[in-house]
Amino acid sequence: MRSLFLTLCCLAFFACEETKTPLIGNLDIIPLPQTIKDYEGHFLLTEKTKIHGLVKGDDWKLPVDYLNDKIEKATGKRLVINQEELVWENMILFTKDSLIAEEGYELSISKLGVFIRSSTAQGAFYGVQTLLQMLPPSFLSNKKTKGLNVHLPFVEIKDEPRFSYRGMHLDVCRHFFSVEEVKRYIDLMALHKNNFFHWHLTEDQGWRIEIKAYPKLTEVGAYRKETLVGHYNDQPHQFDGKRYGGFYTQKEIKEVVKYAQDRFITIIPEIEMPGHAQAAIAAYPELGCTNDRLEVLTKWGISDNVYCPTEATFTFLTNVLNEVMDLFPGPYIHIGGDECPKTQWNESAFCQALIKRENLKDAYGLQSYFLQRIEKVIEAKGKSMMGWDEILEGGLAPNATVMSWRGMKGGIEAAMQNHQVIMTPTSHCYFDYYQSQDSNEPLAIGGYLPLKTVYDFEPIPKELPKEKQHYVLGAQANLWTEYIPNQTQLDYMTYPRACAIAEVNWSAKDSRDYSSFIKRLLTHLERLAHLDVNYATAFFDLDADFKTVSGDLEVSLKSDIPTMAIRYTLDGENPSKAGVLYEGPFVLKESANLQAIGEMTNGAEGRLLEKAIHFHKGVGKKIQFSEAPAAQYSAGGTGCVLNGIKGSDTRYGDKEWLGFWGKDIVMDIDLGEVMSLDSIQFRFFKGEGQWIYLPKKIAVSTSTNGKQFKPFTSSLDIQTDGKIATPTIKIKTNTRYLRIKVNRFGIIPDGAQGAGHEAWLFLDEVVIN
């Protein structure tokens, strides 16, 4: 697939490098600038071009040196920097203009040269990133080119970011990444004009930052004896038996902080509390509620072992945070605050006495008490506390910034209380989710988050009043690394989805267009290839939509690539050889084995799309739900449960699965006429590690007139040892109408991941025979 994409994107760039003919620049820029006006003509950038940096100050040297470093890496030579004498020809000129927005810039190219204007060095740096993307992609490579000889188009760009917070997150606890790998992650962030790096440094599975006052945090807490093999949902759990870990010394932390600062990226360290604390408690058992000697957690999920809110614990956390805050000069300290089981607090005599003494309502009030004390520690150092949206539970700390991950609701609630918000919902921003429906994708935690869904994200919810919208600072993509063990897989899960979220955060809402993005992305993938980024090509996969029409099934095939030709067969034959050219939607009236493949003009092919379609008595019939499925798990529409197509056996995020949360559901099905039925089979997904549980009960009623329903039968025992449960009800009756009630599982029990929250219910095909 990689070779396919390299053939797609502007091959002339490579061909020209073998001659002395000037290379041609391009305007396929990501993220898309606010305005671009191009004109006839080109400026020839050569090794004789001089850089003029007229603005004094160390900060202003950064964008100049960054540009020159890139040119030197590509060509072996640096451009001459002239700080004094200004010669109005063959130049790259940096100037200051106080009227331009803080992070904005203006970039003009004319016969005289390249002009970058900004009010800050940061804005100039973003101008440099745009200029670098206008160069042939090979100039971003670490391998030297044939010299600097590039025709840059005459252009005028005026640009500034839509949001002030443009974030990327990396979990280095589940799997550890070296200093050089983190720097590389930061470099790619800079290319996309991100400005906040959220560094997740502590977890149940590992403590990754040196704290001089507490050496056991890294001597003990940084290493686990072994690591889970396979998926968390696979039973019984298997382990590799290999010691695993690592940590960053404070010297290395300072090195990474400086590296990020030089790229105008602020690092936000995350020190988890009160939950996700088992690694710390393994090092210092007195921090927990049980005093048990623990090991660093070896499997994924959530541990019941949380910090006990004693004065000794607060002293420990104060000392830890003071060391952390001395290392990170940015304005925010992230304290987690998410997924904190209350089991031990509810069972602890100390905690119950504390709740009573402080007049707290319950364990959720105790969490609020805990975090408000921590906020005072952070504010004493002149910094602000940030946390996941669970910090809203029991009362929000006075000045906290909320990261809304469980949907947008927490962000809306925080903004309504005049708190700053970062939007990072799982539905659009969790890059540990699968990005393709292909069964050969590398193992991931679950879910389904394709490139287009990321690109379509709108961080400001329509429910939020206009006067509160300014509290939404921006969006952030999260990389949780349970199933991301190395840099190769990190690249694959991050790119090109990080390109999409960069455009969401930077570009004007009204200017964003997915077709335009894809066109520019094809060039951008060349840049990533030259940077040795193992990007995913999932967006090249074909997609199929199925719509029921008068009892038949209308099939639409589509691709994100406009020039792609699609061929398909309905009998399982190879579409490359026997396929019909797809020219538009077609109708199926009987079972089929659909196979389709995309083909580029050069003959290169993508991955095969396969869909088995089974016509049963319910296909295409009318169905109505008492409750709407969650927006992020309803891409196929409610009719997808009666379209003859089964969803994935391993994932719940494709378009054939519907996800419901917090309510029982009732389905009313109209078969159109009285039919003789033998059975009804259901498909439910089980993924308790993702809070997805099987229903407790299914009840079926029948009717011939749609008014009086007769209870027919119910199923009480819904079980499976795997991920898919297929309970079948033998019905043996004549009926036109079916009313099916599915009782959800309810609250997730203590000790399980997501304890105390409502479980999800996922339903696939309802097969009526």
Side-chain angles (χ1 to χ4, degrees):
M1 288 294 292
R2 174 56 52 76
S3 61
L4 166 63
F5 273 87
L6 288 177
T7 60
L8 296 180
C9 311
C10 304
L11 292 181
F13 287 156
F14 293 111
C16 289
E17 288 179 17
E18 300 303 320
T19 73
K20 293 185 178 180
T21 303
L23 301 172
I24 306 300
N26 71 89
L27 293 175
D28 290 332
I29 299 163
I30 292 178
L32 181 68
Q34 300 293 332
T35 63
I36 301 179
K37 294 181 181 179
D38 59 320
Y39 306 94
E40 288 189 14
H42 294 85
F43 165 69
L44 184 60
L45 178 66
T46 71
E47 294 168 2
K48 294 182 179 180
T49 303
K50 293 183 179 181
I51 299 177
H52 295 267
L54 299 184
V55 188
K56 305 297 183 182
D58 290 342
D59 279 358
W60 285 87
K61 284 186 61 182
L62 292 174
V64 172
D65 290 343
Y66 187 91
L67 174 61
N68 223 355
D69 288 345
K70 290 291 184 182
I71 290 173
E72 181 181 26
K73 190 170 288 186
T75 67
K77 297 181 180 179
R78 297 180 72 82
L79 299 184
V80 173
I81 297 177
N82 190 337
Q83 298 283 14
E84 303 299 335
E85 182 182 0
L86 184 59
V87 181
W88 288 93
E89 62 179 4
N90 197 16
M91 64 192 301
I92 300 174
L93 175 64
F94 290 84
T95 59
K96 185 174 182 178
D97 184 340
S98 59
L99 296 179
I100 296 174
E102 181 179 356
E103 293 185 282
Y105 67 93
E106 294 180 0
L107 188 153
S108 302
I109 298 178
S110 70
K111 64 181 181 180
L112 296 178
V114 179
F115 301 86
I116 297 176
R117 298 177 295 278
S118 62
S119 63
T120 64
Q122 186 173 6
F125 182 80
Y126 296 141
V128 166
Q129 295 298 337
T130 295
L131 177 60
L132 288 171
Q133 288 197 26
M134 293 175 65
L135 298 175
S138 56
F139 275 76
L140 292 178
S141 172
N142 292 327
K143 300 173 184 176
K144 289 184 172 56
T145 66
K146 298 292 183 179
L148 185 60
N149 194 28
V150 181
H151 269 153
L152 293 175
F154 288 173
V155 70
E156 184 177 339
I157 296 173
K158 294 184 179 181
D159 199 13
E160 63 182 85
R162 181 185 177 198
F163 290 106
S164 62
Y165 186 105
R166 305 177 300 282
M168 294 289 294
H169 156 285
L170 180 61
D171 163 20
V172 296
C173 301
R174 276 54 176 254
H175 282 100
F176 182 69
F177 292 87
S178 69
V179 167
E180 291 308 310
E181 288 170 331
V182 172
K183 286 182 177 180
R184 180 177 179 274
Y185 193 79
I186 290 170
D187 276 330
L188 290 170
M189 286 180 59
L191 175 65
H192 295 87
K193 302 184 176 78
N194 293 296
N195 62 345
F196 281 94
F197 172 41
H198 178 172
W199 203 359
H200 187 81
L201 290 167
T202 72
E203 257 300 342
D204 293 316
Q205 292 85 6
W207 183 284
R208 303 292 180 223
I209 179 172
E210 177 190 22
I211 302 298
K212 294 186 183 296
Y214 301 100
K216 289 184 180 179
L217 287 173
T218 47
E219 291 171 3
V220 175
Y223 299 91
R224 55 182 181 259
K225 69 177 183 180
E226 58 189 0
T227 300
L228 183 70
V229 175
H231 201 279
Y232 179 87
N233 288 336
D234 297 338
Q235 299 290 336
H237 286 155
Q238 302 290 322
F239 298 87
D240 63 8
K242 300 176 182 178
R243 186 172 185 258
Y244 182 89
F247 67 93
Y248 308 104
T249 65
Q250 292 197 4
K251 181 180 178 181
E252 289 172 325
I253 293 286
K254 292 175 182 177
E255 179 184 340
V256 173
V257 167
K258 176 65 165 58
Y259 193 84
Q261 285 178 320
D262 288 349
R263 287 147 184 81
F264 297 91
I265 290 172
T266 300
I267 299 182
I268 301 173
E270 181 176 359
I271 308 298
E272 277 271 17
M273 62 185 81
H276 292 281
Q278 184 161 323
I281 298 171
Y284 295 97
E286 63 272 19
L287 299 174
C289 291
T290 66
N291 284 319
D292 293 339
R293 300 203 68 83
L294 305 172
E295 295 180 330
V296 177
L297 198 62
T298 59
K299 62 183 179 181
W300 317 132
I302 300 170
S303 168
D304 276 342
N305 293 290
V306 302
Y307 288 121
C308 195
T310 63
E311 290 305 314
T313 296
F314 285 117
T315 298
F316 165 82
L317 290 173
T318 298
N319 293 337
V320 167
L321 288 172
N322 282 334
E323 285 198 35
V324 169
M325 289 187 284
D326 287 342
L327 293 169
F328 293 93
Y332 298 110
I333 300 294
H334 201 298
I335 50 74
D338 62 313
E339 298 177 326
C340 178
K342 307 301 188 291
T343 306
Q344 292 184 355
W345 285 1
N346 287 330
E347 295 173 353
S348 164
F350 171 83
C351 291
Q352 292 305 305
L354 181 59
I355 289 171
K356 184 176 181 180
R357 188 184 78 213
E358 297 293 331
N359 295 316
L360 306 174
K361 183 178 179 181
D362 52 20
Y364 291 94
L366 181 56
Q367 175 163 322
S368 179
Y369 164 83
F370 188 112
L371 296 180
Q372 288 187 36
R373 286 194 59 170
I374 292 299
E375 184 179 47
K376 292 177 182 177
V377 174
I378 293 170
E379 289 187 338
K381 284 274 192 174
K383 297 183 184 292
S384 298
M385 187 176 84
M386 182 179 282
W388 302 107
D389 58 48
E390 284 96 332
I391 67 175
L392 287 157
E393 297 168 357
L396 188 56
N399 301 304
T401 297
V402 173
M403 277 191 170
S404 188
W405 73 279
R406 295 176 301 175
M408 308 283 269
K409 182 180 178 182
I412 294 170
E413 183 180 343
M416 293 301 291
Q417 297 179 37
N418 301 333
H419 284 261
Q420 293 182 335
V421 173
I422 312 299
M423 291 297 189
T424 179
T426 58
S427 57
H428 293 81
C429 298
Y430 268 49
F431 288 6
D432 54 335
Y433 283 14
Y434 286 104
Q435 55 195 313
S436 169
Q437 299 183 50
D438 190 275
S439 59
N440 295 315
E441 280 290 286
L443 182 67
I445 195 168
Y448 176 51
L449 181 53
L451 181 67
K452 188 176 187 304
T453 301
V454 179
Y455 192 81
D456 288 344
F457 180 46
E458 172 47 47
I460 297 185
K462 60 180 182 297
E463 303 94 326
L464 192 62
K466 189 172 183 179
E467 66 270 17
K468 300 289 185 180
Q469 292 179 2
H470 66 280
Y471 288 109
V472 178
L473 303 183
Q476 174 177 288
N478 296 331
L479 270 296
W480 302 103
T481 60
E482 289 93 334
Y483 304 97
I484 303 177
N486 52 49
Q487 179 181 285
T488 299
Q489 183 65 1
L490 179 63
D491 282 356
Y492 188 85
M493 300 303 282
T494 308
Y495 291 95
R497 289 186 289 189
C499 308
I501 199 71
E503 195 145 303
V504 168
N505 268 325
W506 183 279
S507 304
K509 178 182 177 181
D510 293 340
S511 69
R512 281 165 41 204
D513 176 80
Y514 188 63
S515 297
S516 163
F517 172 72
I518 291 297
K519 174 186 174 294
R520 288 177 284 114
L521 181 62
L522 294 177
T523 300
H524 196 65
L525 291 182
E526 273 198 83
R527 300 180 187 118
L528 296 182
H530 280 291
L531 290 167
D532 297 322
V533 175
N534 181 45
Y535 57 80
T537 57
F539 77 98
F540 189 69
D541 294 352
L542 296 180
D543 194 11
D545 284 335
F546 301 91
K547 184 171 66 174
T548 55
V549 180
S550 302
D552 299 326
L553 201 62
E554 183 181 272
V555 184
S556 299
L557 303 176
K558 56 185 180 180
S559 166
D560 285 346
I561 312 298
T563 57
M564 178 177 287
I566 301 173
R567 295 187 177 276
Y568 71 95
T569 61
L570 298 174
D571 57 4
E573 289 294 313
N574 184 344
S576 297
K577 299 177 180 179
V580 175
L581 182 65
Y582 176 76
E583 296 179 337
F586 57 89
V587 174
L588 290 179
K589 297 179 179 291
E590 59 185 6
S591 298
N593 185 355
L594 170 66
Q595 299 210 6
I597 199 162
E599 180 181 308
M600 296 302 300
T601 53
N602 64 359
E605 293 183 338
R607 290 193 286 205
L608 184 68
L609 171 72
E610 299 180 87
K611 292 287 182 181
I613 303 161
H614 168 62
F615 268 68
H616 53 81
K617 290 186 175 181
V619 171
K621 301 304 186 288
K622 294 179 181 178
I623 184 169
Q624 189 170 15
F625 282 83
S626 60
E627 302 294 336
Q632 66 267 39
Y633 298 118
S634 59
T638 54
C640 72
V641 299
L642 291 176
N643 66 4
I645 304 164
K646 294 179 180 178
S648 170
D649 288 335
T650 58
R651 309 178 205 161
Y652 55 87
D654 66 28
K655 292 193 293 186
E656 300 305 321
W657 287 100
L658 295 180
F660 299 87
W661 190 73
K663 293 183 180 179
D664 299 334
I665 59 173
V666 177
M667 294 175 274
D668 282 321
I669 299 172
D670 180 359
L671 298 173
E673 60 182 343
V674 175
M675 293 185 178
S676 176
L677 304 185
D678 294 322
S679 65
I680 305 174
Q681 184 186 72
F682 304 86
R683 278 170 57 87
F684 295 102
F685 196 94
K686 179 184 177 183
E688 295 180 0
Q690 285 79 52
W691 305 11
I692 304 170
Y693 282 69
L694 299 177
K696 286 187 173 179
K697 181 181 178 180
I698 305 171
V700 177
S701 301
T702 62
S703 172
T704 56
N705 60 17
K707 297 178 180 178
Q708 289 83 35
F709 281 84
K710 175 184 176 182
F712 188 85
T713 186
S714 63
S715 171
L716 297 175
D717 187 24
I718 307 169
Q719 298 293 333
T720 182
D721 292 330
K723 294 180 179 179
I724 306 297
T726 56
T728 301
I729 296 176
K730 301 296 182 181
I731 194 165
K732 298 289 183 183
T733 190
N734 295 321
T735 190
R736 173 176 173 175
Y737 299 94
L738 294 169
R739 176 164 290 168
I740 304 169
K741 183 175 182 181
V742 182
N743 291 92
R744 71 192 191 282
F745 180 87
I747 301 298
I748 299 173
D750 288 344
Q753 192 155 343
H757 295 282
E758 279 277 359
W760 282 87
L761 169 69
F762 274 79
L763 170 69
D764 182 19
E765 192 73 5
V766 178
V767 181
I768 303 173
N769 291 314

